[in-house]
Amino acid sequence: MVRTIDDAPCRLTVCRGCCCGTRKKVPGVDHEAQLARLGSIDDHAARRVPMRTSKCLGICFQADVVVVQPSGTGRAAGGRPVWLGRITDDELLEAIDDWIFEGGPGLAPLPEALVDHVTSKDAKKPKKPKGAKHSKAEKKKRKKDKKREKEKKAKAGKREKKAGKGAEAA
């Protein structure tokens, strides 16, 4: 049987480079088992979903990243690749499997479990919130106040020690 593009199954691209798939970046995940699980997904026509790994998909702050490409039929219906980030739980792998079995992008709605994991190749790393800006004079004042507080604590400690020695001698 000759396959046409229209009947091509969904495909997966799984990031496994510098960050995704590493214990250092995402500890507590069995990355090899995760990769094996993704590689064993079948669609509704009992076809194995092709999976490839990528060295880096460029959004390392979203590790582990999986891209679900639509099937030929899904693409014809308007489906486009869906980028998913922070795919680290078995429940999320199950949701991907179920979604692909139901048709995937363009043919089946995105499972609720995956909604908060949708990202894109152009995702920007969120900036850390900046603290309130202070003038140099305010910074100097805070530094002096801290120093005075430290000196007060040291003096109080010495007084307590002296008082303790006086009580022992009596």
Side-chain angles (χ1 to χ4, degrees):
M1 179 177 151
V2 176
R3 273 196 179 150
T4 64
I5 294 202
D6 287 346
D7 75 347
C10 288
R11 295 174 316 210
L12 295 173
T13 302
V14 182
C15 190
R16 285 294 183 261
C18 63
C19 297
C20 294
T22 65
R23 279 190 212 130
K24 182 177 179 182
K25 180 75 174 191
V26 187
V29 174
D30 185 346
H31 297 285
E32 292 303 316
Q34 185 186 55
L35 202 56
R37 174 70 180 92
L38 288 167
S40 69
I41 294 176
D42 291 333
D43 68 5
H44 64 281
R47 298 177 295 188
R48 183 63 36 112
V49 172
M51 181 194 70
R52 65 182 178 172
T53 58
S54 171
K55 292 253 185 227
C56 186
L57 291 173
I59 54 172
C60 301
F61 66 95
Q62 291 278 344
D64 290 342
V65 177
V66 176
V67 181
V68 181
Q69 301 278 342
S71 64
T73 307
R75 185 170 285 282
R80 295 294 172 255
V82 176
W83 287 60
L84 300 167
R86 302 176 327 276
I87 303 298
T88 56
D89 299 326
D90 291 338
E91 296 82 32
L92 298 173
L93 299 176
E94 278 303 312
I96 291 171
D97 188 344
D98 293 345
W99 184 37
I100 289 173
F101 187 80
E102 292 170 12
L107 298 176
L110 184 70
E112 188 64 34
L114 298 175
V115 169
D116 291 338
H117 295 270
V118 173
T119 186
S120 76
K121 64 182 178 183
D122 301 319
K124 300 290 183 213
K125 186 174 183 176
K127 293 182 179 180
K128 293 180 182 176
K130 293 182 180 180
K133 292 196 175 197
H134 299 287
S135 69
K136 286 184 182 181
E138 288 173 326
K139 287 180 183 178
K140 277 185 179 181
K141 184 181 181 312
R142 277 199 322 269
K143 196 173 182 179
K144 280 183 182 179
D145 290 346
K146 280 184 182 179
K147 189 176 179 181
R148 279 190 202 125
E149 190 64 35
K150 198 174 183 180
E151 288 171 355
K152 280 184 185 179
K153 284 183 182 180
K155 284 181 183 178
K158 284 181 183 179
R159 272 188 251 132
E160 285 178 16
K161 236 182 192 180
K162 238 183 195 182
K165 284 185 181 181
E168 284 178 18

